[in-house]
mmCIF file of all heavy atoms in Angstrom:
data_model
loop_
_atom_site.group_PDB
_atom_site.id
_atom_site.type_symbol
_atom_site.label_atom_id
_atom_site.label_comp_id
_atom_site.label_asym_id
_atom_site.label_seq_id
_atom_site.Cartn_x
_atom_site.Cartn_y
_atom_site.Cartn_z
ATOM 1 N N GLY A 311 161.120 66.013 -127.116
ATOM 2 C CA GLY A 311 160.760 67.117 -127.868
ATOM 3 C C GLY A 311 161.300 68.412 -127.338
ATOM 4 O O GLY A 311 161.038 69.479 -127.995
ATOM 5 N N LYS A 451 203.594 100.436 -106.424
ATOM 6 C CA LYS A 451 203.159 98.990 -106.361
ATOM 7 C C LYS A 451 201.761 98.899 -106.802
ATOM 8 O O LYS A 451 200.868 98.530 -106.022
ATOM 9 C CB LYS A 451 203.362 98.477 -104.905
ATOM 10 C CG LYS A 451 204.804 98.442 -104.454
ATOM 11 C CD LYS A 451 204.848 97.978 -103.016
ATOM 12 C CE LYS A 451 206.290 97.937 -102.506
ATOM 13 N NZ LYS A 451 206.311 97.341 -101.103
ATOM 14 N N PRO A 513 170.278 92.296 -100.611
ATOM 15 C CA PRO A 513 170.996 93.575 -100.565
ATOM 16 C C PRO A 513 170.239 94.680 -99.881
ATOM 17 O O PRO A 513 170.673 95.443 -99.137
ATOM 18 C CB PRO A 513 171.257 93.866 -102.022
ATOM 19 C CG PRO A 513 171.354 92.561 -102.688
ATOM 20 C CD PRO A 513 170.347 91.699 -101.934
ATOM 21 N N ILE A 552 184.497 84.990 -107.362
ATOM 22 C CA ILE A 552 184.372 85.086 -105.875
ATOM 23 C C ILE A 552 183.372 84.009 -105.337
ATOM 24 O O ILE A 552 183.677 83.334 -104.313
ATOM 25 C CB ILE A 552 183.866 86.455 -105.508
ATOM 26 C CG1 ILE A 552 184.916 87.507 -105.901
ATOM 27 C CG2 ILE A 552 183.591 86.537 -103.999
ATOM 28 C CD1 ILE A 552 184.455 88.961 -105.777
#
Side-chain angles (χ1 to χ4, degrees):
K451 297 180 179 180
I552 297 171

